[in-house]
Amino acid sequence: MKANKKTWQRKRIDAINRKIKNCANKQAMTENYIDEHWRICNSQASNKEEYKAQCEHEYWDYHNACLE
């Protein structure tokens, strides 16, 4: 039996879906995460650390940039 290895994108999207599922106001929670979902799906980063740094650079947030 072959084990399915999840990518960081799949893990993050699953976590977002769990947060939405466990929230009382699902529509509001979905609206909070819709932009992040788009960024995750279109990211060329190979891991979460690169993705976070990419987002910080794109949105001019250098305070927590981990790859500088």
Side-chain angles (χ1 to χ4, degrees), residues 1-8 10-11 14:
M1 187 166 135
K2 185 177 178 182
N4 292 333
K5 183 175 180 185
K6 288 189 174 185
T7 63
W8 70 268
R10 185 75 255 159
K11 289 178 185 178
D14 287 346

Side-chain angles (χ1 to χ4, degrees), residues 7-37:
T7 63
W8 70 268
Q9 289 102 333
R10 185 75 255 159
K11 289 178 185 178
R12 182 62 188 140
I13 291 171
D14 287 346
I16 290 170
N17 288 336
R18 280 192 306 274
K19 285 186 156 210
I20 292 170
K21 179 182 171 187
N22 295 328
C23 181
N25 189 348
K26 292 177 182 11
Q27 182 178 359
M29 186 64 82
T30 300
E31 290 172 1
N32 287 340
Y33 285 108
I34 196 109
D35 290 333
E36 183 176 358
H37 182 272

Side-chain angles (χ1 to χ4, degrees), residues 33-68:
Y33 285 108
I34 196 109
D35 290 333
E36 183 176 358
H37 182 272
W38 184 87
R39 288 192 306 263
I40 290 168
C41 291
N42 292 303
S43 175
Q44 299 298 317
S46 61
N47 59 39
K48 188 176 176 183
E49 185 176 323
E50 285 181 16
Y51 165 73
K52 287 176 75 173
Q54 175 186 348
C55 289
E56 289 166 349
H57 289 285
E58 287 176 6
Y59 294 99
W60 303 92
D61 179 12
Y62 291 102
H63 184 271
N64 293 317
C66 53
L67 295 179
E68 286 193 333

